[in-house]
Amino acid sequence: MSRIDGRTPEELRPVTIQRGWSKHAEGSVLVSFGDTKVLCTASVTEGVPRWRKGSGEGWVTAEYAMLPRSTNTRGDRESVRGKIGGRTHEISRLIGRSLRAVIDYKALGENTVVLDCDVLQADGGTRTAAITGAYVALADAVTWMHGRKLVRAKAQPLSGTVSAVSVGIIDGIPMLDLCYEEDVRAETDMNVVCTGDGRFVEVQGTAEGQPFDRKELNNLLDLAVAGCAELDALQRAALAELEQIAKG
Amino acid sequence: MSRIDGRTPEELRPVTIQRGWSKHAEGSVLVSFGDTKVLCTASVTEGVPRWRKGSGEGWVTAEYAMLPRSTNTRGDRESVRGKIGGRTHEISRLIGRSLRAVIDYKALGENTVVLDCDVLQADGGTRTAAITGAYVALADAVTWMHGRKLVRAKAQPLSGTVSAVSVGIIDGIPMLDLCYEEDVRAETDMNVVCTGDGRFVEVQGTAEGQPFDRKELNNLLDLAVAGCAELDALQRAALAELEQIAKG
Amino acid sequence: MSRIDGRTPEELRPVTIQRGWSKHAEGSVLVSFGDTKVLCTASVTEGVPRWRKGSGEGWVTAEYAMLPRSTNTRGDRESVRGKIGGRTHEISRLIGRSLRAVIDYKALGENTVVLDCDVLQADGGTRTAAITGAYVALADAVTWMHGRKLVRAKAQPLSGTVSAVSVGIIDGIPMLDLCYEEDVRAETDMNVVCTGDGRFVEVQGTAEGQPFDRKELNNLLDLAVAGCAELDALQRAALAELEQIAKG
Amino acid sequence: MSRIDGRTPEELRPVTIQRGWSKHAEGSVLVSFGDTKVLCTASVTEGVPRWRKGSGEGWVTAEYAMLPRSTNTRGDRESVRGKIGGRTHEISRLIGRSLRAVIDYKALGENTVVLDCDVLQADGGTRTAAITGAYVALADAVTWMHGRKLVRAKAQPLSGTVSAVSVGIIDGIPMLDLCYEEDVRAETDMNVVCTGDGRFVEVQGTAEGQPFDRKELNNLLDLAVAGCAELDALQRAALAELEQIAKG
Amino acid sequence: MSRIDGRTPEELRPVTIQRGWSKHAEGSVLVSFGDTKVLCTASVTEGVPRWRKGSGEGWVTAEYAMLPRSTNTRGDRESVRGKIGGRTHEISRLIGRSLRAVIDYKALGENTVVLDCDVLQADGGTRTAAITGAYVALADAVTWMHGRKLVRAKAQPLSGTVSAVSVGIIDGIPMLDLCYEEDVRAETDMNVVCTGDGRFVEVQGTAEGQPFDRKELNNLLDLAVAGCAELDALQRAALAELEQIAKG
Amino acid sequence: MSRIDGRTPEELRPVTIQRGWSKHAEGSVLVSFGDTKVLCTASVTEGVPRWRKGSGEGWVTAEYAMLPRSTNTRGDRESVRGKIGGRTHEISRLIGRSLRAVIDYKALGENTVVLDCDVLQADGGTRTAAITGAYVALADAVTWMHGRKLVRAKAQPLSGTVSAVSVGIIDGIPMLDLCYEEDVRAETDMNVVCTGDGRFVEVQGTAEGQPFDRKELNNLLDLAVAGCAELDALQRAALAELEQIAKG
């Protein structure tokens, strides 16, 4: 049985990771998971928020947003409505936590990296694409910091790698990396964030229709772990390419 | 090895569920998980939000908030700051989804129930106490609706029961129902929402320090499922008590 | 002629003052005037707002709010609406002024006490119950400050006691401590804040229907002064009880 | 003993009431109490707020604001801060209640009048000047409505007249109509709103320093009632002048 | 062919510039262009915004607002709506830029002048009246600063003079200083800000209906330059009058 | 004398207009003026805002925003700050007016088109690139509407074409299409919006340093008119390409 777009249940959509997209940011990636496109920029500033000053430790945070017409129907701008919605808040926090899971604050020193993940086009899985792309932007920003000697020569601010993928159950079948149409139909929807060694940073499973049992949960986790391993390889390949054409 | 408060790792804190706390609300519960106290009220209104009108289906939503001095250090009021924080948004959404998982919208008819979960005193696990208490308030509100004939005589708006508990790993040991001090020290923190038949509505696990592996995840899920079964029994016992002293 | 709840015109509702309600706050009181229940917490912080620094004087302020379903019909949360309403502002300011009337800023030293008065259940007279309860919470906080040596040993930050009650004219008869149903029907509504020695801190009288004349005003003041004297006795009795079970 | 500006304790500042100040508004008055100048406009619209529709009754409301440099030190604009302060809320509500006290809603019919009171220059007593001026603007608006036949020919939407004045105790002496310097020094500050027949619409007394006793309260009320009688005469004189040069 | 109010196309409305309107502000002007009346106050504070500290240079900024009933139909207050509209923002920025064009920041020293331009009555051309009046208020504030020795004795913070006027094409005819009725009908609307020597600070032309060609643009500029020259003379005359009766 | 990037004073930067960028929007263009990249989407909805209902006329509006790291230094998100800044407001309004200048509302019928212009990378001239790109997106949206028969078969909602360019004076030399570094150094900065037949829709000139005289203004207008003519040709070429790959 094949999926809407012809994939098998355990197949990712075509994934591209384009580094050096922006001339200004210290790290920048245009990541696509099929038709989902997210621009991830990493902005480095010396110093940390007030509550962390003098600790010798750095900070990493993230902000997620969707362009108003990244979706099929135009959404109001949160800036115009004057407040950030719950979904935006939730995803921004998830991205931040996921990246902080692989940061060694001491090695980062008192520097701050802000990851901005702006969805240019949405077709399901925007938060998992954002995490996957933001990791690469962050890695480029760390390289940039080494070049500027903002971190000590032997410091390794990144203690691991991180990627994320969605999984869900549709018509009883567990599937990897849902596109929007699948996401809408899924009975259970799960987002899983893994490190490169296959451990979990975040597991967020939600029953959209019927509650799910332990066996279904296990099947979903198996799929997600395999998907993250593939994404990890793609991230490594992207980072192995010739030097990005970024901020001189 | 015993815990800060003398419990075994698989032991819940003392849980109380006091129905009929408020004279105004259609359902109201003061729930406590140890020193965590949450006032849950269910407010029924006829009609549904605009986007649902004419569907014949009802709606259930939730709002969570903490009193400014429910915590050890006073927090600013979100009303004074003029906006709702990300954590509040996230928990309100979680509570709403959890309760909607056991609602039959058709049976509810075009009525709306709002669950307000206000934390009067916080000591860890406020979101899980809120879900557990809100379910009971919701059940009382459904009974009230039957009494007022707002739902059809044979309609069963509640398709199941729901409760929630936190679990976490502290010094390598999986533990049930963390209090605040434990929560702060936990390497991994997970909130699990189950139906009375032991299936999952939500699984949200977060690595606070080291990523966690599959075995740790499984241990935590075992603990949580057992904890929710206990909470389910406590909810049933509370609902079996003589008629609440609520809104005549 | 008796009142809705059987009281005589000059009779208070049953008043309870439960100290040490919260484990976190430096002073905390659950006060009830009949079915009106207000949780009052006093939060102490060292230091004062910027505009008062270096003066050697302390500061006391208050915030009042109602839980959304403290009333018969659910009200929107002010945090969700993104702004504080006029009534909330007005009452917060009144509570703050009333308590500052019995504070010796010099004796308090450069410390700040915030009184949070959250209405858990409303049945008229929430602002007067809040002032009456907040005074007791404030007194406990001052005791706590003495224990922590935040104020000098012989300093008396409290220069007096303060309590408050509502009065109103219903069907031509002046009545004390109106419940909600009476408040709605009152032609004139007055809130009076007195010190323990029977002097006035605030007098706020409003003609809801017909303007009132001097004689009616005098009758209302007589009732209010007597009511505050009773409340003063109840406050003293509550404070005379064995040590509260608060923040160790 | 004379006052800062040479007045006796029971003397008003020079009061002017200039009708027809604005070419657009249905009623408009520039009122001055000494150096305090408030522009009061009455805006009539057919129809009433949603909650009042179909009642056959009208509505009157008020908004008060200060220009940023109406005071000695420039204040931030509330529009720039994005929210209205507590004092502004409180005074807007007071003005609205005071004018509604002399409105016969039935006679007004389903029309709304908004009174805008903008302080152009402040020197104490802005709220009392605003009420006194707004009454005259409202009276002109009612005349305008009669001219447009928005109210029935014999309907009398105004059931009385209303004016307001401040009183206070300075160095133990009760004084009428405080200017800013006096207001700052007053031990007790009271705003009194009276109808033309000498009854009370609002009495708001506040102890700024020491609490006040019954005798002081009585002295202040005597002064205020006499002051309002003078203001009532000035309002009548202003309204007796030749037709205002307003909105044709 | 004459205009609505009998003027010739190249004629200004009657312009008045009343200095010393406010007793508090360091400079204050009530300016009128026909029925358009704007109160302009200049507020001086020592020091500059954070981003300019230590530069030795001053700062000048402006805020524009309309009273709610300055227009024919009452507008909502921006403070009540909780945000500033685009038009208000745009005009505030225009006024600020226009006045900064004639400021020598070094000569001003680390002082800030805020120009508040509040429209008391609107009949077209409020932004140009505001700029023209604000310049005079600013000049008085500079004089005041000299008196207080806030600027060095020989410093000339004002490097020139500035005024502004609107022009537009109505029924094919270029006209100067449009009133509201003309503004509504104009096919092209242009605001021009000139220095006293006839050069341009701002030129903002907008096609309201048909696009305009180069010849029309030139005609409008000719009219505007002549109008600004007249306004410049009126500003000089106002400033030549006997000392303003402002802030002692 | 050559410019920073080697251009002659009257030379545009390389301009690209990529149609059909988004799969969701009815028209979408990624426009670049050198390193400035703006994503312009046109969203069509049936119906018009409330104030225009029943008029038989359509509406076109625009919103402009910058991604936080589109600039050299990261800017705060306006959604996070909770309000839109003055510059954003001003540019959104300019874009909307510019496009409405070539819209025949009657021919558009009661449909609304919203143009979202999101700056992905900024290097000066973002507003002029946005207008130039948005026109092409609008033209595609109109074609789409014809395909869906949302407008009558012979209706021509577009009455002309529109493009925009910046010009400025740097070191006394008028230059076309300033990049960021030039913009910062310009003494005078002007944005000009022209129709395809060389007439003006908007002329906005600002003296950043010295005021400018008539001759300089004329030189700038000459440059801008020539620049817009080139942009007009590029727009026509883009629209002449094979059908965009947009929303089926």
Side-chain angles (χ1 to χ4, degrees):
Chain A
M1 184 211 124
S2 83
R3 296 160 75 173
I4 294 162
D5 50 9
R7 284 185 285 157
T8 62
E10 62 276 6
E11 198 176 343
L12 290 174
R13 290 177 287 180
V15 171
T16 65
I17 297 174
Q18 182 182 345
R19 287 163 66 211
W21 199 88
S22 153
K23 75 179 260 198
H24 296 304
E26 286 75 28
S28 66
V29 164
L30 182 64
V31 62
S32 64
F33 278 31
D35 281 332
T36 287
K37 299 182 192 178
V38 185
L39 179 55
C40 308
T41 59
S43 297
V44 175
T45 48
E46 297 184 52
V48 284
R50 185 190 311 252
W51 50 272
R52 213 170 173 85
K53 275 188 183 148
S55 66
E57 302 192 339
W59 187 239
V60 171
T61 186
E63 290 186 3
Y64 165 96
M66 301 181 88
L67 291 197
R69 193 57 198 279
S70 58
T71 46
N72 193 48
T73 307
R74 184 178 185 275
D76 287 341
R77 284 177 195 270
E78 294 184 320
S79 58
V80 170
R81 285 196 292 125
K83 54 184 171 184
I84 289 189
R87 179 182 175 277
T88 299
H89 256 144
E90 199 170 304
I91 298 178
S92 293
R93 285 158 56 89
L94 170 65
I95 301 171
R97 279 200 312 273
S98 297
L99 293 168
R100 285 193 293 272
V102 293
I103 283 289
D104 177 335
Y105 295 131
K106 278 286 176 207
L108 185 58
E110 287 204 11
N111 297 295
T112 297
V113 188
V114 180
L115 279 311
D116 285 292
C117 300
D118 287 90
V119 178
L120 304 187
Q121 187 169 277
D123 187 30
T126 60
R127 79 189 72 186
T128 52
I131 292 167
T132 304
Y135 170 76
V136 177
L138 177 58
D140 275 333
V142 166
T143 301
W144 181 90
M145 291 169 81
H146 271 297
R148 296 297 166 105
K149 304 209 186 307
L150 286 177
V151 295
R152 280 167 299 109
K154 299 205 173 161
Q156 295 282 21
L158 284 172
S159 61
T161 67
V162 71
S163 64
V165 78
S166 72
V167 284
I169 301 176
I170 297 165
D171 299 333
I173 303 174
M175 294 185 180
L176 181 68
D177 187 22
L178 311 187
C179 67
Y180 181 71
E181 269 192 73
E182 292 173 333
D183 190 50
V184 166
R185 292 178 47 214
E187 295 114 42
T188 291
D189 182 19
M190 187 174 296
N191 290 292
V192 178
V193 185
C194 286
T195 49
D197 59 6
R199 285 184 298 160
F200 300 103
V201 168
E202 285 270 343
V203 173
Q204 295 199 340
T206 299
E208 301 287 348
Q210 288 300 306
F212 51 99
D213 61 25
R214 189 69 171 265
K215 183 160 170 296
E216 289 168 318
L217 174 55
N218 281 329
N219 288 342
L220 289 172
L221 289 169
D222 289 343
L223 264 186
V225 168
C228 281
E230 278 191 72
L231 291 168
D232 186 71
L234 291 165
Q235 288 172 323
R236 286 176 200 276
L239 285 165
E241 282 170 22
L242 278 177
E243 205 52 18
Q244 61 161 327
I245 326 141
K247 187 168 180 115
Chain B
M1 184 214 122
S2 83
R3 295 161 75 175
I4 295 163
D5 50 10
R7 284 185 285 156
T8 62
E10 60 276 7
E11 198 176 343
L12 289 174
R13 290 177 286 180
V15 171
T16 65
I17 296 175
Q18 182 183 345
R19 288 163 64 211
W21 199 89
S22 153
K23 74 179 261 195
H24 296 304
E26 286 74 29
S28 65
V29 164
L30 182 65
V31 62
S32 64
F33 278 31
D35 281 333
T36 287
K37 298 183 194 178
V38 185
L39 179 55
C40 307
T41 58
S43 297
V44 176
T45 48
E46 297 183 54
V48 283
R50 184 190 311 255
W51 50 271
R52 213 170 172 86
K53 276 189 182 148
S55 66
E57 302 194 338
W59 186 239
V60 171
T61 187
E63 290 186 5
Y64 164 97
M66 301 181 89
L67 291 198
R69 194 56 198 280
S70 59
T71 45
N72 193 47
T73 307
R74 184 178 185 274
D76 288 341
R77 282 177 196 269
E78 294 184 320
S79 58
V80 170
R81 286 197 290 125
K83 55 183 172 186
I84 289 189
R87 180 182 172 278
T88 298
H89 256 145
E90 198 169 306
I91 298 178
S92 293
R93 287 158 56 89
L94 170 65
I95 300 172
R97 281 199 311 273
S98 297
L99 292 168
R100 286 193 292 272
V102 293
I103 283 289
D104 177 336
Y105 294 131
K106 278 285 177 206
L108 186 59
E110 288 205 11
N111 297 294
T112 297
V113 188
V114 180
L115 279 313
D116 284 291
C117 300
D118 287 90
V119 178
L120 304 188
Q121 187 169 280
D123 188 29
T126 60
R127 78 189 72 185
T128 52
I131 291 168
T132 303
Y135 169 75
V136 177
L138 177 58
D140 275 334
V142 165
T143 301
W144 182 89
M145 292 169 80
H146 271 298
R148 296 296 167 106
K149 305 207 184 306
L150 286 177
V151 295
R152 280 167 297 109
K154 300 205 174 159
Q156 296 281 21
L158 284 172
S159 60
T161 67
V162 71
S163 64
V165 77
S166 73
V167 284
I169 299 176
I170 297 165
D171 299 335
I173 302 175
M175 294 185 181
L176 181 68
D177 187 23
L178 311 187
C179 68
Y180 181 71
E181 270 192 73
E182 291 173 334
D183 190 51
V184 166
R185 292 176 48 213
E187 294 115 42
T188 291
D189 183 20
M190 186 174 297
N191 290 293
V192 178
V193 184
C194 286
T195 48
D197 59 6
R199 286 184 297 160
F200 300 103
V201 168
E202 286 271 341
V203 173
Q204 296 199 341
T206 299
E208 302 288 346
Q210 288 300 307
F212 51 98
D213 62 25
R214 189 69 170 266
K215 181 158 171 298
E216 289 168 318
L217 174 55
N218 281 328
N219 288 342
L220 289 173
L221 289 169
D222 290 343
L223 263 187
V225 167
C228 281
E230 277 191 72
L231 290 168
D232 186 71
L234 291 165
Q235 288 173 323
R236 287 177 200 274
L239 284 165
E241 283 171 21
L242 278 178
E243 206 51 19
Q244 60 162 330
I245 327 145
K247 189 166 180 116
Chain C
M1 184 211 123
S2 84
R3 295 161 74 174
I4 294 163
D5 50 11
R7 285 185 286 156
T8 62
E10 61 276 7
E11 197 176 344
L12 290 174
R13 288 178 287 180
V15 171
T16 66
I17 297 175
Q18 182 183 345
R19 287 163 64 211
W21 198 89
S22 152
K23 73 180 262 196
H24 297 304
E26 287 74 29
S28 66
V29 164
L30 182 65
V31 63
S32 65
F33 277 30
D35 281 332
T36 288
K37 298 182 193 178
V38 185
L39 179 55
C40 306
T41 58
S43 297
V44 175
T45 49
E46 297 183 53
V48 284
R50 186 189 311 252
W51 51 272
R52 213 169 172 86
K53 276 186 183 150
S55 66
E57 302 193 338
W59 186 239
V60 171
T61 186
E63 291 186 4
Y64 165 97
M66 301 182 88
L67 291 198
R69 194 56 198 279
S70 59
T71 45
N72 193 47
T73 306
R74 184 179 184 274
D76 288 341
R77 282 177 196 270
E78 294 184 320
S79 58
V80 170
R81 285 197 291 125
K83 54 184 171 185
I84 290 188
R87 179 182 173 278
T88 297
H89 256 144
E90 199 169 304
I91 298 178
S92 293
R93 286 159 55 89
L94 170 65
I95 300 171
R97 281 200 311 273
S98 296
L99 293 168
R100 286 193 293 272
V102 294
I103 283 290
D104 177 335
Y105 294 132
K106 278 285 177 205
L108 185 59
E110 288 205 10
N111 297 295
T112 297
V113 188
V114 179
L115 279 311
D116 285 291
C117 300
D118 286 272
V119 178
L120 304 188
Q121 188 168 279
D123 187 29
T126 61
R127 78 189 72 187
T128 53
I131 292 167
T132 303
Y135 169 75
V136 177
L138 176 58
D140 274 333
V142 165
T143 302
W144 182 90
M145 293 169 80
H146 271 297
R148 297 294 168 106
K149 304 209 185 306
L150 286 177
V151 294
R152 280 167 298 107
K154 300 205 176 161
Q156 296 281 23
L158 285 171
S159 61
T161 67
V162 71
S163 64
V165 77
S166 73
V167 285
I169 301 176
I170 297 165
D171 299 333
I173 302 175
M175 294 185 181
L176 181 68
D177 186 23
L178 310 188
C179 68
Y180 181 70
E181 270 192 72
E182 291 173 333
D183 189 51
V184 166
R185 292 177 47 214
E187 294 115 43
T188 291
D189 182 20
M190 187 174 297
N191 291 292
V192 178
V193 185
C194 286
T195 49
D197 59 5
R199 286 183 298 159
F200 299 103
V201 168
E202 286 272 341
V203 173
Q204 296 199 341
T206 299
E208 301 287 347
Q210 289 301 307
F212 51 98
D213 62 24
R214 189 68 171 267
K215 183 158 170 297
E216 290 168 317
L217 174 55
N218 281 329
N219 288 343
L220 289 172
L221 290 169
D222 290 344
L223 264 187
V225 168
C228 282
E230 277 191 72
L231 291 168
D232 187 71
L234 291 165
Q235 289 173 323
R236 286 176 200 274
L239 285 165
E241 284 170 20
L242 278 177
E243 205 52 18
Q244 61 161 330
I245 328 144
K247 189 166 180 118
Chain D
M1 185 214 122
S2 83
R3 296 162 74 174
I4 294 162
D5 50 10
R7 285 185 284 156
T8 62
E10 61 276 6
E11 198 176 344
L12 290 174
R13 289 177 286 180
V15 171
T16 65
I17 297 174
Q18 183 183 344
R19 286 163 65 210
W21 198 88
S22 154
K23 74 179 260 196
H24 297 303
E26 286 75 28
S28 66
V29 163
L30 183 63
V31 62
S32 65
F33 277 31
D35 280 333
T36 287
K37 299 184 192 177
V38 185
L39 179 54
C40 307
T41 59
S43 297
V44 175
T45 48
E46 298 184 52
V48 283
R50 185 189 310 255
W51 51 271
R52 214 171 171 85
K53 275 189 183 147
S55 66
E57 302 193 339
W59 187 240
V60 171
T61 186
E63 291 185 4
Y64 165 97
M66 301 181 88
L67 291 197
R69 194 57 197 280
S70 58
T71 45
N72 193 46
T73 307
R74 185 179 184 274
D76 288 340
R77 283 178 196 269
E78 295 185 319
S79 58
V80 170
R81 286 196 292 125
K83 54 184 172 186
I84 289 188
R87 180 183 172 276
T88 298
H89 256 145
E90 199 170 304
I91 298 177
S92 293
R93 286 158 56 89
L94 171 65
I95 300 171
R97 280 199 312 272
S98 297
L99 293 168
R100 286 194 293 272
V102 294
I103 282 289
D104 176 338
Y105 295 132
K106 279 284 176 206
L108 186 58
E110 288 205 11
N111 297 294
T112 298
V113 187
V114 180
L115 280 311
D116 284 292
C117 300
D118 286 272
V119 178
L120 305 187
Q121 188 169 279
D123 188 28
T126 60
R127 78 190 73 185
T128 52
I131 291 167
T132 304
Y135 170 76
V136 177
L138 176 59
D140 274 334
V142 166
T143 302
W144 182 89
M145 291 168 81
H146 271 296
R148 295 298 167 106
K149 305 207 186 306
L150 285 178
V151 293
R152 281 167 298 108
K154 301 207 172 158
Q156 295 282 22
L158 285 171
S159 60
T161 67
V162 72
S163 63
V165 77
S166 73
V167 285
I169 301 176
I170 297 166
D171 300 334
I173 302 174
M175 294 185 179
L176 181 68
D177 187 23
L178 310 188
C179 68
Y180 181 71
E181 270 191 72
E182 291 173 334
D183 189 51
V184 166
R185 292 178 47 214
E187 295 115 42
T188 291
D189 183 19
M190 186 174 297
N191 290 291
V192 178
V193 184
C194 287
T195 50
D197 59 6
R199 285 184 297 159
F200 300 102
V201 168
E202 286 270 343
V203 173
Q204 296 199 339
T206 299
E208 302 287 346
Q210 287 301 306
F212 50 99
D213 62 24
R214 188 70 171 263
K215 182 158 171 297
E216 289 168 319
L217 175 55
N218 281 328
N219 288 342
L220 288 173
L221 289 169
D222 290 343
L223 264 186
V225 168
C228 282
E230 278 192 71
L231 290 168
D232 185 71
L234 291 165
Q235 288 172 324
R236 287 176 200 276
L239 284 166
E241 281 170 23
L242 277 177
E243 206 52 16
Q244 61 161 328
I245 326 142
K247 186 166 181 118
Chain E
M1 183 210 126
S2 84
R3 294 162 74 174
I4 294 162
D5 51 9
R7 286 184 285 155
T8 63
E10 62 276 4
E11 199 176 344
L12 290 174
R13 289 177 287 180
V15 170
T16 65
I17 297 174
Q18 182 184 345
R19 287 164 64 211
W21 198 88
S22 152
K23 73 180 260 196
H24 297 304
E26 286 76 28
S28 66
V29 163
L30 183 64
V31 62
S32 65
F33 278 30
D35 281 333
T36 287
K37 298 182 193 178
V38 185
L39 178 55
C40 308
T41 59
S43 297
V44 175
T45 50
E46 296 184 53
V48 283
R50 186 190 311 253
W51 51 270
R52 213 171 171 85
K53 276 188 183 148
S55 65
E57 301 193 339
W59 186 241
V60 171
T61 187
E63 291 186 5
Y64 165 96
M66 300 182 89
L67 291 197
R69 193 58 197 277
S70 58
T71 45
N72 193 47
T73 306
R74 185 178 183 273
D76 288 341
R77 283 178 195 268
E78 295 184 320
S79 58
V80 170
R81 285 196 291 124
K83 54 185 173 184
I84 289 189
R87 179 181 174 277
T88 298
H89 257 144
E90 198 169 306
I91 298 178
S92 292
R93 285 157 57 89
L94 170 65
I95 300 171
R97 281 199 310 273
S98 297
L99 292 168
R100 285 193 293 270
V102 294
I103 283 289
D104 176 336
Y105 295 131
K106 278 285 177 208
L108 185 58
E110 288 205 12
N111 297 295
T112 297
V113 188
V114 180
L115 280 310
D116 285 291
C117 300
D118 287 90
V119 178
L120 304 187
Q121 188 168 277
D123 187 29
T126 60
R127 78 190 71 187
T128 53
I131 292 168
T132 304
Y135 169 75
V136 177
L138 177 58
D140 274 334
V142 165
T143 302
W144 182 89
M145 292 169 81
H146 271 297
R148 296 296 167 106
K149 304 209 184 307
L150 286 177
V151 294
R152 281 167 296 109
K154 301 206 172 160
Q156 295 281 21
L158 284 172
S159 61
T161 68
V162 71
S163 64
V165 77
S166 73
V167 285
I169 301 175
I170 297 165
D171 299 333
I173 302 174
M175 294 185 180
L176 182 67
D177 186 23
L178 311 188
C179 68
Y180 180 72
E181 270 192 70
E182 291 173 333
D183 189 50
V184 167
R185 291 178 47 214
E187 294 115 42
T188 291
D189 182 20
M190 187 173 296
N191 291 291
V192 178
V193 185
C194 286
T195 49
D197 60 6
R199 286 182 299 159
F200 299 103
V201 168
E202 286 271 343
V203 173
Q204 296 199 340
T206 300
E208 302 287 347
Q210 288 300 307
F212 51 97
D213 62 24
R214 189 67 171 266
K215 181 158 171 300
E216 290 169 317
L217 174 55
N218 281 328
N219 288 342
L220 289 173
L221 290 169
D222 290 343
L223 264 186
V225 168
C228 282
E230 277 191 73
L231 290 167
D232 186 71
L234 291 165
Q235 288 173 322
R236 287 175 200 277
L239 285 165
E241 283 170 22
L242 277 177
E243 205 54 16
Q244 61 162 330
I245 325 141
K247 188 166 179 117
Chain F
M1 185 215 124
S2 84
R3 297 161 74 174
I4 294 162
D5 51 10
R7 285 185 285 157
T8 62
E10 62 276 6
E11 198 177 344
L12 290 174
R13 289 177 287 180
V15 171
T16 65
I17 296 175
Q18 182 183 344
R19 288 164 64 211
W21 199 88
S22 153
K23 73 179 260 196
H24 297 304
E26 287 74 29
S28 66
V29 164
L30 182 65
V31 63
S32 65
F33 277 31
D35 281 333
T36 288
K37 299 183 192 177
V38 185
L39 178 55
C40 307
T41 59
S43 297
V44 175
T45 49
E46 297 184 53
V48 283
R50 186 189 311 254
W51 51 271
R52 214 171 171 85
K53 276 189 183 148
S55 66
E57 302 193 338
W59 187 239
V60 171
T61 186
E63 290 186 5
Y64 165 98
M66 301 182 89
L67 291 197
R69 193 57 199 278
S70 59
T71 45
N72 193 47
T73 307
R74 184 178 184 275
D76 287 341
R77 284 178 195 269
E78 294 184 320
S79 58
V80 171
R81 285 197 291 123
K83 55 184 171 185
I84 289 188
R87 179 182 174 277
T88 298
H89 256 145
E90 198 170 304
I91 298 178
S92 292
R93 286 159 54 89
L94 171 64
I95 300 172
R97 280 199 312 273
S98 297
L99 292 169
R100 286 193 293 271
V102 294
I103 283 289
D104 177 337
Y105 295 131
K106 279 285 178 207
L108 185 58
E110 287 204 12
N111 297 294
T112 297
V113 188
V114 179
L115 280 311
D116 284 291
C117 300
D118 287 90
V119 178
L120 305 187
Q121 188 168 278
D123 188 29
T126 60
R127 77 189 73 186
T128 53
I131 292 167
T132 303
Y135 169 76
V136 177
L138 177 58
D140 275 334
V142 165
T143 301
W144 182 89
M145 291 169 80
H146 271 297
R148 296 296 167 106
K149 305 208 183 308
L150 286 177
V151 294
R152 280 167 296 107
K154 301 207 172 159
Q156 295 283 21
L158 284 172
S159 61
T161 67
V162 71
S163 64
V165 78
S166 73
V167 285
I169 302 175
I170 297 166
D171 299 332
I173 302 174
M175 294 187 181
L176 181 67
D177 186 23
L178 310 188
C179 68
Y180 181 71
E181 270 192 72
E182 291 173 334
D183 190 49
V184 166
R185 292 178 48 215
E187 294 113 43
T188 291
D189 182 19
M190 187 174 297
N191 291 291
V192 178
V193 185
C194 286
T195 49
D197 60 6
R199 287 182 298 160
F200 300 103
V201 168
E202 285 271 343
V203 172
Q204 296 199 340
T206 299
E208 302 287 346
Q210 288 300 307
F212 51 97
D213 62 23
R214 188 70 171 265
K215 182 158 171 298
E216 290 169 317
L217 174 56
N218 281 329
N219 288 343
L220 288 173
L221 289 169
D222 290 343
L223 263 187
V225 167
C228 282
E230 278 192 72
L231 290 168
D232 186 71
L234 290 165
Q235 288 172 323
R236 287 175 200 277
L239 284 165
E241 283 171 22
L242 277 177
E243 205 53 17
Q244 61 162 328
I245 326 142
K247 187 165 180 116

